[in-house]
Amino acid sequence: MADNMGLNAKAALEYEFFMFKETPESVRQKGYRNLEPLTPDWFGYSVLRNSVHAELYHQIMGLGESMDFPLEGIHTETGPGVIEAAIAVDDAESAADKGALFKTFMKVLAQRNNLMATFMAKWSNKYPGQSGHIHISLYDGQGNNVFFDPGQEHNISQAQRHFIAGQQQLMPEFLAMLAPTVNSYSRLIPGFWAPTEATWGVENRTTALRVIPGSNKSQRVEYRLGSADANPYLALAAALAAGLYGIKHQLEPAAEVQGNAYALQHPEHLQLPRTLWESAQRLKQSEAAREMFGNDFVEHFAATREWEEREFRKHITDWEMDRYFEII
């Protein structure tokens, strides 16, 4: 669709993932409990942790260069053994390729070092979930960033406003493509640094959409809702298609959020689905999804998400046993 509009989409993905001193055998022997992270405690952006494990970081950076997913940066995030990596920008389709390669071969590299990496949206109630943020910008045939207008506040062009509006309006309807597992919704809860409403702001990391003002080269929007467990192709397609829909239909966004979005009340229509099943129903009912992706995809993908939810419901969780076994 971008091509038909005379636009070229550029994108960059960044992922958070946890690294463990475990093997495929040990995690199964432990029943995925009492796992040992690569490093202890909450050392976000730590020079100490990065330096101690410099050889591993060099391996990761080297792998990115040799497999054509070069990294703009890599650092520890907040939590034991958690790392964040930002992949270099490229055309949208190539950016999705890079994301898929990164996720697959980061797990391969970890296991070759007798470690394990996980991109689950959330593996423990004690720590924040893992994001998969998506940066997007659009360029015309002359190489001009159509999001950049130096005559407007924060350099936000009318095209970028429409793009933001589309992403905001369709976020609840496209959520299943960005949060595709039952586990995804354990991350999207209040108080754990992940958005629960379709909000936007300028340089605001508490909103679901963050406008990053810059130059003709760097003006962009960051889709912060995405989680690490999403398929890079589907997540990027959802984020991009929603924005293009906004441009096509000249939508206008709700008011910009200033301050802590987590602490504010937001309109009902900006609330996100709370479960995978609800997300699948919103996708099936979405006229915009059918317009952008086609009926066959919407029906099939929604059905796969319903199946995933039904499979989950067949199982008894540890929480249920602890909660109900004796007292009910």
Side-chain angles (χ1 to χ4, degrees):
M1 181 176 178
D3 290 341
N4 294 335
M5 298 171 71
L7 299 170
N8 176 39
K10 292 188 178 296
L13 303 175
E14 58 183 54
Y15 289 105
E16 296 170 354
F17 58 101
F18 277 82
M19 196 77 82
F20 294 89
K21 293 180 181 178
E22 302 288 350
T23 67
E25 293 75 25
S26 71
V27 293
R28 287 164 172 78
Q29 291 167 359
K30 293 182 175 182
Y32 298 93
R33 297 174 180 84
N34 300 315
L35 304 180
E36 184 181 359
L38 175 64
T39 57
D41 222 327
W42 298 63
F43 276 65
Y45 292 85
S46 171
V47 174
L48 176 63
R49 291 285 188 257
N50 290 352
S51 299
V52 169
H53 294 280
E55 289 81 4
L56 177 62
Y57 280 68
H58 290 159
Q59 285 187 53
I60 294 172
M61 297 290 287
L63 183 67
E65 292 292 335
S66 64
M67 295 194 67
D68 192 28
F69 55 85
L71 303 184
E72 291 281 347
I74 183 169
H75 61 86
T76 59
E77 250 297 351
T78 303
V82 62
I83 298 172
E84 181 173 19
I87 307 172
V89 65
D90 206 332
D91 292 338
E93 186 174 359
S94 296
D97 290 339
K98 293 179 192 304
L101 285 170
F102 174 82
K103 289 182 65 176
T104 298
F105 285 92
M106 194 51 48
K107 290 180 282 190
V108 171
L109 178 66
Q111 291 189 30
R112 289 173 67 90
N113 283 275
N114 293 314
L115 302 170
M116 287 199 75
T118 183
F119 288 85
M120 285 182 67
K122 197 168 184 181
W123 74 273
S124 170
N125 290 330
K126 298 178 181 179
Y127 312 114
Q130 302 182 91
S131 66
H133 297 162
I134 306 168
H135 295 253
I136 299 176
S137 55
L138 293 177
Y139 292 81
D140 64 21
Q142 289 71 49
N144 298 309
N145 187 338
V146 302
F147 287 173
F148 178 69
D149 184 347
Q152 300 298 320
E153 186 177 14
H154 305 301
N155 302 331
I156 299 175
S157 70
Q158 191 61 48
Q160 187 172 29
R161 285 189 62 81
H162 293 326
F163 192 89
I164 295 164
Q167 289 189 316
Q168 181 179 43
Q169 179 174 308
L170 296 179
M171 192 176 290
E173 298 177 26
F174 290 6
L175 183 61
M177 297 173 65
L178 292 133
T181 71
V182 172
N183 183 251
S184 301
Y185 298 82
S186 298
R187 169 179 170 260
L188 302 177
I189 59 175
F192 274 92
W193 306 349
T196 55
E197 292 88 17
T199 54
W200 78 278
V202 176
E203 287 293 15
N204 190 334
R205 287 178 167 82
T206 69
T207 55
L209 298 168
R210 170 191 169 215
V211 173
I212 303 175
S215 65
N216 184 59
K217 183 178 179 180
S218 60
Q219 181 91 8
R220 63 192 187 275
V221 61
E222 179 188 21
Y223 201 104
R224 294 181 59 81
L225 175 74
S227 59
D229 61 345
N231 178 304
Y233 297 98
L234 297 185
L236 181 51
L240 177 58
L244 294 174
Y245 182 92
I247 293 177
K248 179 181 178 182
H249 295 277
Q250 297 190 325
L251 304 180
E252 287 294 328
E256 172 197 348
V257 171
Q258 296 181 340
N260 186 353
Y262 304 140
L264 301 175
Q265 293 293 320
H266 303 285
E268 180 66 26
H269 71 275
L270 297 181
Q271 302 295 316
L272 298 175
R274 301 302 190 216
T275 66
L276 182 58
W277 184 271
E278 184 184 349
S279 286
Q281 307 318 302
R282 293 294 299 271
L283 182 65
K284 283 201 300 186
Q285 296 161 11
S286 173
E287 294 182 5
R290 293 178 183 277
E291 176 183 334
M292 302 302 287
F293 305 119
N295 289 327
D296 289 345
F297 171 81
V298 170
E299 292 291 342
H300 175 75
F301 188 71
T304 68
R305 297 309 88 199
E306 291 174 339
W307 181 88
E308 189 81 5
E309 179 87 12
R310 286 195 297 269
E311 287 299 297
F312 170 70
R313 294 299 170 196
K314 293 178 182 178
H315 295 274
I316 310 302
T317 65
D318 291 345
W319 185 90
E320 291 171 279
M321 294 296 291
D322 182 65
R323 178 76 170 173
Y324 302 128
F325 185 86
E326 183 177 359
I327 65 173
I328 292 298

